[in-house]
Amino acid sequence: MTLLIGLLLRSGVVLAAGLVLSALLRKRSAALRHRVLAGALAAAVLVLPFSLTLPALSVTLPSRTAVIQASTEALTDAAPVASASAPAPGTTPAPAPDESSALSAAALLAIAWFGGLLVCAGRLFAGLLRIRRVTALASPVDDDRWTNALDAVARRYGLKRDIRVARTDSADLLATWGIRRPHVLLPRQSHAWPADRIHVVLCHELAHIRRHDWLVQMLAEAVRAILWFNPLAWMICTRLRRESEQACDDEVLAMGVGGVDYAGQLLDLARQCRRPGSMWASALPMAHPSTLERRITAMLNPRLDRRVPTRRALALVGTALLIITLPVAALRARQAGPATLAGTVYDVMGGVMPGVEVTLTDANQVAKKTQSNASGRFEFAAVAPGKYVLSAALRGFRPLRHELDLTSPSDWNRAVILQLGNLQESISVSASRMPAAAPGAGVPAPVRVGGSVRVPQKVYDVKPIYPQSMREAGLAGVVPIEAVIGRDGTVTSVRVLSAQAHPDLAVAATDAVRKWRFTPTLLNGVAVDVSMTVTVKFSLSD
């Protein structure tokens, strides 16, 4: 998810650079600005392959603290957890989000993005289907006025593709679409147009075809569907369409049509085609009302630059965009060099923990060790970027083992949270094969203690009794049990961990464990629940 966000941010930088460069060229021709905007969209798409192939350009960003805590489910190893900030000493830390919550947040973002993509792509696809359906129902224009004018304008533009001119049943549609076999779609009233209007319309529409404007605009719409949440993508698509229309107007004027005559023809077309906007977004409508005033002002201004961009100008634009795109694509938020890996060790109540042994092991299994000081702080000097394993251990707490990938500055600042360890007790219950044999006694195992933990002491013990039926059958076995000692020292829950244990042995073991009593377990003077693993072994002797 972090990589995706980085790619989207870098694409946004490239789009912003394209808008700025286009604004700087406001005194140059619309055709050049159109190429700049189209190039910016292409460069934004190229950010992904460039990011995967170019060497990283590292920068240092302000750091934040990552929180690591031991898993509440595993008995020994810890699951890595990250959070935005460390708990203040002496306060209860906010629960750090676990891996599942991070995945949930990533999934929600992915669903939101995909939903927006479906909406935008659906609109574009529906528009394409509609324009194809309208084209299929349109009637080819076989009027000599249109065919002769089409041949003449196509020769002037150097077009050799098969261009189809068709009349539709719509009163609003005057647009061009298509790649290999482009179509010029006319409104139903076009049969009554005079020759000068036919010439103007064909000059404008064939200019779109010569410049491949429809293909560029559809690719831009596809990019906008992917980056639908980025307002820069919407701005570039809108300006790309506007510059395309003005560039075609410049080519119509270059064909010898007077600016005043062209403006008059465009106004008349706008009156007839009143709704050529979003209804035909998948085509290139000629008389779009939102751009009409700007286009007429431009065509009546004799001082504007209307030249077609030269190859040299296009090469300069492409070079400028590459100069911007390449370093942006290679940009990474990485640690510039070896730095001090530091952090603080806390317990689950927010208290700092001195005397915790912290170990840092690199990929070559070279380990560095240190201990947290009186304020719970630990440091490893001159730690280079790379993959490491951070371990922390203190008696009475669950040992932590966390894999680190030190890349961004935030990775060098850690907050470690240790959770209370499990009690363990093993009991051996033995009996002779004779009915008079007495059951064996249980022996408590050593308990991990340390820090400000006061471990519970057993104040009332009940030993399991070997079931008579099992002795008579000559059966033995092991019953692993997980018990929870409540804050008052009573055993609040007992659970058999293995389905292989015989039910009679399991009942005998759990009945005894439920009757045990302990002193309360204290963490920083506060009674807490603690889990305990009990292993009861039933054996028979001759």
Side-chain angles (χ1 to χ4, degrees), residues 180-238:
R180 296 182 58 184
R181 190 182 182 187
H183 295 77
V184 178
L185 302 180
L186 305 174
R188 59 173 176 261
Q189 66 270 23
S190 59
H191 66 277
W193 286 354
D196 54 350
R197 180 167 298 175
I198 294 174
H199 178 69
V200 166
V201 167
L202 290 177
C203 285
H204 183 93
E205 300 303 333
L206 267 63
H208 279 306
I209 295 173
R210 189 185 69 82
R211 290 165 39 84
H212 304 284
D213 285 341
W214 185 82
L215 175 61
V216 173
Q217 193 66 41
M218 292 303 102
L219 292 176
E221 295 292 339
V223 174
R224 181 169 69 175
I226 298 173
L227 302 176
W228 60 267
F229 54 88
N230 191 336
L232 296 177
W234 293 78
M235 292 174 61
I236 281 193
C237 283
T238 301

Side-chain angles (χ1 to χ4, degrees), residues 110-122 224-226 228:
I111 291 173
W113 170 79
F114 190 67
L117 173 64
L118 286 180
V119 172
C120 295
R224 181 169 69 175
I226 298 173
W228 60 267

Side-chain angles (χ1 to χ4, degrees), residues 25-230:
L25 296 174
R26 60 184 180 277
K27 293 185 178 180
R28 302 295 298 271
S29 67
L32 180 60
R33 294 193 297 272
H34 182 267
R35 293 294 185 262
V36 169
L37 295 173
L41 279 172
V45 174
L46 291 175
V47 165
L48 175 58
F50 284 162
S51 298
L52 299 176
T53 56
L54 293 176
L57 179 62
S58 300
V59 295
T60 302
L61 300 176
S63 64
R64 58 186 179 89
T65 302
V67 177
I68 308 170
Q69 66 178 4
S71 170
T72 58
E73 297 179 358
L75 296 180
T76 55
D77 292 341
V81 181
S83 178
S85 61
T91 62
T92 302
D98 57 15
E99 186 177 354
S100 61
S101 63
L103 290 176
S104 299
L108 289 176
L109 290 176
I111 291 173
W113 170 79
F114 190 67
L117 173 64
L118 286 180
V119 172
C120 295
R123 290 182 58 187
L124 181 60
F125 187 68
L128 290 173
L129 291 180
R130 181 179 183 184
I131 201 70
R132 286 180 64 89
R133 184 173 64 252
V134 171
T135 302
L137 297 176
S139 303
V141 175
D142 54 3
D143 189 339
D144 290 341
R145 296 183 307 157
W146 283 94
T147 56
N148 293 336
L150 177 65
D151 292 339
V153 176
R155 284 195 302 270
R156 290 283 300 273
Y157 281 146
L159 293 173
K160 297 181 180 180
R161 282 176 285 173
D162 182 17
I163 302 172
R164 181 188 179 192
V165 180
R167 185 174 290 113
T168 68
D169 291 334
S170 172
D172 305 320
L173 181 58
L174 174 57
T176 298
W177 77 283
I179 304 174
R180 296 182 58 184
R181 190 182 182 187
H183 295 77
V184 178
L185 302 180
L186 305 174
R188 59 173 176 261
Q189 66 270 23
S190 59
H191 66 277
W193 286 354
D196 54 350
R197 180 167 298 175
I198 294 174
H199 178 69
V200 166
V201 167
L202 290 177
C203 285
H204 183 93
E205 300 303 333
L206 267 63
H208 279 306
I209 295 173
R210 189 185 69 82
R211 290 165 39 84
H212 304 284
D213 285 341
W214 185 82
L215 175 61
V216 173
Q217 193 66 41
M218 292 303 102
L219 292 176
E221 295 292 339
V223 174
R224 181 169 69 175
I226 298 173
L227 302 176
W228 60 267
F229 54 88
N230 191 336

Side-chain angles (χ1 to χ4, degrees), residues 356-373:
V356 178
E357 184 178 273
V358 184
T359 305
L360 184 68
T361 307
D362 62 16
N364 298 322
Q365 302 303 313
V366 177
K368 297 180 180 180
K369 293 187 178 182
T370 187
Q371 279 193 347
S372 58
N373 59 20

Side-chain angles (χ1 to χ4, degrees), residues 68-81 93-100 347-349 397-401 417-423 448 482-484 495 523 529-533:
I68 308 170
Q69 66 178 4
S71 170
T72 58
E73 297 179 358
L75 296 180
T76 55
D77 292 341
V81 181
D98 57 15
E99 186 177 354
S100 61
D347 60 26
V348 293
M349 299 186 67
F397 292 86
R398 295 186 183 183
L400 177 145
R401 185 180 184 275
I417 300 176
L418 294 184
Q419 295 183 357
L420 200 61
N422 282 346
L423 298 175
R448 293 172 294 173
E482 182 183 66
V484 176
R495 182 168 65 96
L523 175 62
D529 294 339
V530 63
S531 61
M532 176 176 61
T533 301

